Amino acid sequence: MIQIFWRWYEKNLKANVALASFLFTWQIFHLIWLTLHVVAGRLFGAPLITLNGFWENVIILVDYAEIPALVSVSLIYINELRKQYSFKSLLYLIFLNSQWLHILWITDEFVIEHLSGAHPGYFPLWLAWVAIGIDYLELPVIYDTIRQALK
């Protein structure tokens, strides 16, 4: 079954990389929101943007799109590693899959509550900054995925 999957994946590589790139590119909007709302709010005392209603729902959907994006982009780097070992592919796979820690454990709500001082402090404040740093590990992978899709 695994060989059948990889044959199909290779046969449709361009489409798979394009879809993965499209899904993952949406995370740029989440990172912009994270920077302008969460990080700016902590650094400057007030967020530079605040999303409500429709736009807040859009950013939530973009955030949930991260799950299929992580799976589809991980397949790109697993496929590369399957063919030939590359430190870059392994590193990007680690960057990508560190996002699961962020998604499943350190949610955006946790980060916002900690940075705003609304959370009672079950975890240290530095952990919220670690969660934000994990989010930004997507940037080199997003760039590389877009670059591959454009080839």
Side-chain angles (χ1 to χ4, degrees):
M1 278 309 249
I2 292 173
Q3 290 176 345
I4 292 170
F5 170 78
W6 286 117
R7 272 196 302 270
W8 170 86
Y9 189 85
E10 283 287 327
K11 183 179 174 186
N12 299 289
L13 186 61
K14 288 181 182 179
N16 287 322
V17 171
L19 176 63
S21 176
F22 174 77
L23 287 171
F24 209 35
T25 300
W26 283 99
Q27 293 310 302
I28 293 171
F29 296 106
H30 178 261
L31 292 171
I32 291 169
W33 168 81
L34 181 70
T35 302
L36 297 177
H37 182 80
V38 179
V39 174
R42 179 62 179 192
L43 295 177
F44 306 124
L48 297 176
I49 63 165
T50 301
L51 302 177
N52 296 308
F54 173 77
W55 292 110
E56 184 177 32
N57 290 329
V58 168
I59 205 69
I60 289 169
L61 287 173
V62 166
D63 205 16
Y64 281 116
E66 185 172 20
I67 294 170
L70 289 175
V71 172
S72 62
V73 176
S74 288
L75 287 173
I76 293 170
Y77 294 104
I78 290 169
N79 189 47
E80 288 178 3
L81 287 168
R82 210 175 55 83
K83 292 179 188 178
Q84 178 181 346
Y85 174 79
S86 160
F87 178 73
K88 181 191 88 167
S89 295
L90 180 62
L91 184 64
Y92 283 5
L93 196 56
I94 291 168
F95 284 178
L96 267 174
N97 287 285
S98 68
Q99 302 303 311
W100 292 106
L101 173 67
H102 176 70
I103 291 170
L104 299 174
W105 181 49
I106 311 171
T107 64
D108 287 336
E109 183 178 335
F110 164 85
V111 170
I112 291 169
E113 287 179 359
H114 260 70
L115 293 181
S116 70
H119 198 275
Y122 299 117
F123 296 100
L125 179 62
W126 62 264
L127 195 56
W129 288 108
V130 168
I132 289 170
I134 288 171
D135 250 348
Y136 288 109
L137 289 176
E138 293 175 332
L139 286 172
V141 185
I142 291 171
Y143 170 79
D144 189 60
T145 306
I146 292 169
R147 186 186 58 74
Q148 287 187 45
L150 294 175
K151 272 188 184 178

